[in-house]
Amino acid sequence: MTVFAVEYVYDAESTEARDASRPAHREWTAGLAQEGTLLASGPYGDGAGALLILKAADEAALNEILKQDPFAAASAISGTRITAWAPVTGLLAGHA
């Protein structure tokens, strides 16, 4: 399994769509956390985006997971940056 850092970028005009789909998005992330796929996630303090740390077999599998995000279905995400990440120190060390 590979650990990925996924950055979401939100368009300022997507606030209403995010607010409407946030309960479903949080349920989705909670399910991923429970199964061990999502290691951490949360919005940036300025509201311009979020960071998700997930485990997946490869980037194709990760993209399949991300397609299921209710924020994606609501077109609340204007950009995504995916980077393979190898945590070596801290609470997430050893997950790569």
Side-chain angles (χ1 to χ4, degrees):
M1 289 290 206
T2 302
V3 174
F4 293 94
V6 178
E7 278 190 274
Y8 281 174
V9 177
Y10 302 140
D11 188 303
E13 296 168 9
S14 72
T15 302
E16 191 174 305
R18 282 183 282 127
D19 288 347
S21 57
R22 184 169 288 110
H25 168 77
R26 294 267 170 94
E27 185 177 327
W28 175 75
T29 57
L32 291 175
Q34 188 172 28
E35 70 184 35
T37 300
L38 178 69
L39 302 177
S41 70
Y44 294 135
D46 63 4
L51 177 66
L52 298 88
I53 307 296
L54 300 109
K55 291 191 305 185
D58 54 33
E59 194 167 337
L62 176 68
N63 283 321
E64 288 302 313
I65 293 167
L66 295 175
K67 286 179 188 176
Q68 298 170 27
D69 187 343
F71 275 6
S75 299
I77 304 163
S78 63
T80 303
R81 179 177 177 220
I82 298 171
T83 307
W85 184 54
V88 296
T89 304
L91 298 176
L92 300 179
H95 283 277

